[in-house]
Amino acid sequence: MKKLTILFLFLNFVLFPQEIKENVNQALQTCFGKNIQIHYEKIKIDPNLKKEIENMAGQNFFSDEVHFYKIFESDRIAGLAILDNVYGKSLPITFIVMFDPNGKILCSEIIKYREPYGGAVQSKEWNSQFKGKDDQSGFVVGRDINSISGATISVNSVTKGIKKLTLLIKTLLKK
């Protein structure tokens, strides 16, 4: 039992973060191309801004920080990306939203899905419906965003999470 616990801790703290990093880099290259430079930083969200965005999106942030990426192509900024987590039914869903320099969504992708059901939110087709959306867009499941039978919790959670990041990127662009 002790060996199993040690193995579990090793996988969670050593292998999975590396897998997430590799999946993020792949998602960024798929969206922005292979010839990019990626600048990463962790951003702490101001508590007042956090509360305001949570109220607007109808969902709490997973933590006080998000993973923020500036994507450069040659000397120019090609876009921005934010990696975050939302809860599925019981486990976190790690996702990334990639934006153009004006805050419009270019791509979104599920980086790590941990639930036994509802994995259809990982499909490129479902994620492609967010392309072109921004902080002024509708994010209502069933009207603006397609629902998925058997993935109700995941669909609603990821949709609200993406909405949250469009509201956050609007503020980050002003800085």
Side-chain angles (χ1 to χ4, degrees), residues 23-140:
N23 290 349
V24 165
N25 287 337
Q26 180 64 45
L28 293 172
Q29 289 179 352
T30 299
C31 189
F32 293 104
K34 300 276 185 206
N35 297 322
I36 57 172
Q37 296 82 44
I38 303 167
H39 295 254
Y40 163 79
E41 65 180 297
K42 243 185 209 180
I43 293 182
K44 183 163 177 57
I45 307 166
D46 173 84
N48 294 327
L49 175 63
K50 182 178 177 223
K51 188 84 169 154
E52 179 184 338
I53 291 173
E54 288 172 343
N55 287 336
M56 292 171 69
Q59 182 186 68
N60 291 336
F61 277 96
F62 193 80
S63 77
D64 295 335
E65 299 177 324
V66 292
H67 303 272
F68 182 66
Y69 302 84
K70 287 184 182 176
I71 315 305
F72 292 90
E73 193 173 44
S74 300
D75 301 10
R76 71 172 188 84
I77 188 156
L80 307 160
I82 302 175
L83 178 75
D84 198 13
N85 291 287
V86 292
Y87 278 108
K89 185 173 183 179
S90 60
L91 296 169
I93 301 169
T94 304
F95 69 103
I96 190 166
V97 181
M98 294 151 278
F99 301 90
D100 72 14
N102 299 312
K104 285 201 181 285
I105 296 175
L106 294 172
C107 312
S108 65
E109 189 170 318
I110 304 299
I111 297 298
K112 182 80 174 164
Y113 192 83
R114 298 168 179 89
E115 297 284 357
Y117 302 103
V121 295
Q122 298 175 89
S123 79
K124 294 222 181 281
E125 294 79 23
W126 187 78
N127 277 277
S128 69
Q129 65 189 320
F130 294 100
K131 185 175 182 173
K133 291 193 176 293
D134 62 17
D135 64 302
Q136 300 298 309
S137 299
F139 287 89
V140 177

Side-chain angles (χ1 to χ4, degrees), residues 9-27 67 69 83 94 111-112 114:
L9 291 172
F10 174 76
L11 290 173
N12 273 322
F13 294 107
V14 177
L15 293 181
F16 290 150
Q18 183 61 33
E19 176 189 354
I20 288 172
K21 183 178 179 182
E22 289 170 5
N23 290 349
V24 165
N25 287 337
Q26 180 64 45
H67 303 272
Y69 302 84
L83 178 75
T94 304
I111 297 298
K112 182 80 174 164
R114 298 168 179 89

